[in-house]
């Protein structure tokens, strides 16, 4: 029987590229948190604690996806760390990434991935609150760059595209493929 993937695995990403990509992701997360002052206030008591986000089941064919290690700052924002801070109160979130395409389509359609959480219950509760209550207002950010009318039109196009992709993902999932 032949292997399902006849090609060698994709090359690993540059060791300089992943930290840069993670830094950009942290900037986006902090942008969303800072738009809601209550979110930062809820995180401030957790300053100094660490959070590790691990993609479990990541396919070996794809370049390795290192853990994203975050620390909570006294300002109630996040910073990328090279290692989890020592001490109690940390949190580990494992996201089922065994099917990256399904994970991406789920994110586009608003679906929640399979998640496992281990660690401090209070920290987990605050992270759950953040995930339930914070959303990126892309239209508002676009309006600052291109103006309100083009931003509204781009946002409407994005919502229509998301609905289409969501429908395709549901049909694909329903077909058992």
């Amino acid at each position: 029987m032949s292997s399902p993937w006849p090609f060698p695995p994709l090359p690993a990403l540059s060791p300089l590229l992943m930290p840069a990509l993670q830094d950009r992701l942290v900037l986006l997360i902090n942008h969303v948190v800072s738009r809601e002052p209550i979110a930062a206030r809820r995180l401030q008591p957790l300053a100094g604690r660490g959070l590790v986000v691990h993609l479990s089941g990541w396919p070996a064919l794809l370049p390795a996806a290192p853990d994203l290690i975050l620390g909570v700052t006294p300002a109630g924002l996040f910073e990328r760390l090279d290692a989890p801070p020592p001490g109690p109160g940390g949190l580990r979130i494992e996201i089922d990434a065994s099917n990256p395409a399904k994970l991406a389509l789920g994110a586009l359609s608003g679906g929640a991935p399979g998640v496992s959480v281990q660690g401090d219950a209070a920290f987990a509760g605050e992270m759950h609150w953040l995930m339930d209550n914070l959303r990126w207002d892309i239209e508002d950010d676009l309006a600052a760059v291109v103006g309100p009318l083009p931003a509204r039109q781009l946002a409407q196009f994005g919502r229509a595209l998301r609905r289409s992709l969501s429908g395709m993902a549901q049909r694909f999932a329903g077909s058992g493929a």
Side-chain angles (χ1 to χ4, degrees), residues 116-165:
S116 167
V117 179
Q118 303 157 8
D120 183 71
F123 195 1
E126 292 303 326
M127 292 307 299
H128 186 267
W129 185 91
L130 289 176
M131 289 187 273
D132 279 350
N133 293 287
L134 293 183
R135 296 292 175 263
W136 181 19
D137 188 352
I138 299 170
E139 184 175 339
D140 188 51
D141 287 342
L142 280 172
V145 176
V146 298
L149 184 59
R152 179 170 304 271
Q153 291 171 336
L154 286 168
Q156 287 173 343
F157 173 75
R159 286 188 290 272
L161 180 62
R162 185 180 73 196
R163 283 191 301 274
S164 296
L165 289 173

Side-chain angles (χ1 to χ4, degrees), residues 85-106:
L91 195 63
R92 180 177 175 86
I93 298 176
E94 292 189 8
I95 300 172
D96 178 13
S98 56
N99 186 341
K102 182 178 176 184
L103 184 66
L105 283 173

Side-chain angles (χ1 to χ4, degrees), residues 51 123 171:
L51 167 70
F123 195 1
R171 283 191 299 278

Side-chain angles (χ1 to χ4, degrees), residues 42-120:
R42 290 181 74 123
L43 285 171
Q44 285 173 340
L46 302 170
R49 295 188 188 193
L51 167 70
V52 176
V53 180
H54 174 74
L55 298 176
S56 65
W58 187 255
L61 296 173
L62 299 175
D67 290 348
L68 175 61
I69 304 170
L70 301 172
V72 179
T73 69
L77 298 173
F78 293 99
E79 64 181 337
R80 187 182 64 79
L81 304 173
D82 293 325
L91 195 63
R92 180 177 175 86
I93 298 176
E94 292 189 8
I95 300 172
D96 178 13
S98 56
N99 186 341
K102 182 178 176 184
L103 184 66
L105 283 173
L108 285 173
S109 65
V115 174
S116 167
V117 179
Q118 303 157 8
D120 183 71

